[in-house]
Amino acid sequence: MKTLLRLWRFMPIWLNFLVAKIVRPLFLVAVAALVFDEQGQILLFKHTYRKFEWGIPAGGLEPREQPADAILREFCEETGMQIQIEKLLTVVSAREDHHITIVYLCKIVSGEFKASDEVSEMKYFDVNALPKMLFAEKELIRWAVELPMTEN
């Protein structure tokens, strides 16, 4: 699995999209967690398989899995840590492909970071100084930061 993830990262982006369209179902449903610290910084994962390595914690739904259960599972599998869902923030339909993401506001409740095949590092970033990452994820973070405090 580790080798396949590394190969995926070095494939041209157009080939990533082509392969994904061929092997994935009509719609891919994913879950994501936005985790902010006390200073308002956003938690990002350094993914081992992405061209733009840094990104928000996310993963795919398994058959018959509830979205809330999926984000708890994905976060734990990728870091060894447990999170708690504070609220559902939004559901986003990607413009570039048939991808729907259910986004939750979460907080870390226990555990210590342990690298996995998919995530090598995690780090909090100032929302105004984000690393090179997917534009859609940057937009999502900026949208979440601008929510009124009563909604956050």
Side-chain angles (χ1 to χ4, degrees):
M1 177 70 155
K2 195 179 238 184
T3 303
L4 288 174
L5 289 171
R6 289 219 164 88
L7 286 173
W8 183 261
R9 181 175 170 198
F10 291 107
M11 290 169 46
I13 195 100
W14 66 267
L15 190 54
N16 289 143
F17 279 108
L18 178 63
V19 170
K21 284 197 180 286
I22 292 170
V23 300
R24 286 185 179 159
L26 184 57
F27 278 92
L28 179 64
V29 179
V31 289
L34 293 185
V35 179
F36 294 92
D37 66 8
E38 298 80 27
Q39 291 77 38
Q41 295 182 315
I42 185 75
L43 178 70
L44 299 179
F45 285 176
K46 187 173 186 182
H47 299 274
T48 60
Y49 58 92
R50 287 186 177 184
K51 291 223 179 293
F52 300 114
E53 297 172 319
W54 289 101
I56 61 175
L61 232 64
E62 292 182 355
R64 292 176 292 287
E65 184 176 34
Q66 294 301 310
D69 296 334
I71 194 58
L72 300 177
R73 174 188 53 77
E74 281 287 340
F75 201 97
C76 186
E77 284 178 2
E78 294 177 354
T79 67
M81 302 172 77
Q82 286 71 44
I83 57 172
Q84 176 180 322
I85 295 172
E86 295 189 329
K87 69 188 264 182
L88 172 66
L89 285 178
T90 189
V91 178
V92 180
S93 179
R95 294 181 188 122
E96 57 278 349
D97 61 4
H98 301 289
H99 193 111
I100 296 170
T101 304
I102 302 164
V103 184
Y104 294 96
L105 178 64
C106 299
K107 68 177 181 179
I108 296 173
V109 292
S110 66
E112 290 202 21
F113 176 75
K114 199 163 101 178
S116 66
D117 287 344
E118 295 181 53
V119 175
S120 62
E121 187 180 337
M122 63 182 246
K123 180 179 175 185
Y124 285 95
F125 287 88
D126 184 298
V127 295
N128 296 310
L130 296 170
K132 190 173 183 181
M133 59 188 291
L134 294 173
F135 180 75
E137 291 188 355
K138 279 187 178 182
E139 277 187 330
L140 179 63
I141 292 166
R142 289 185 181 123
W143 170 83
V145 167
E146 291 175 7
L147 285 175
M149 290 308 280
T150 55
E151 290 185 45
N152 273 349

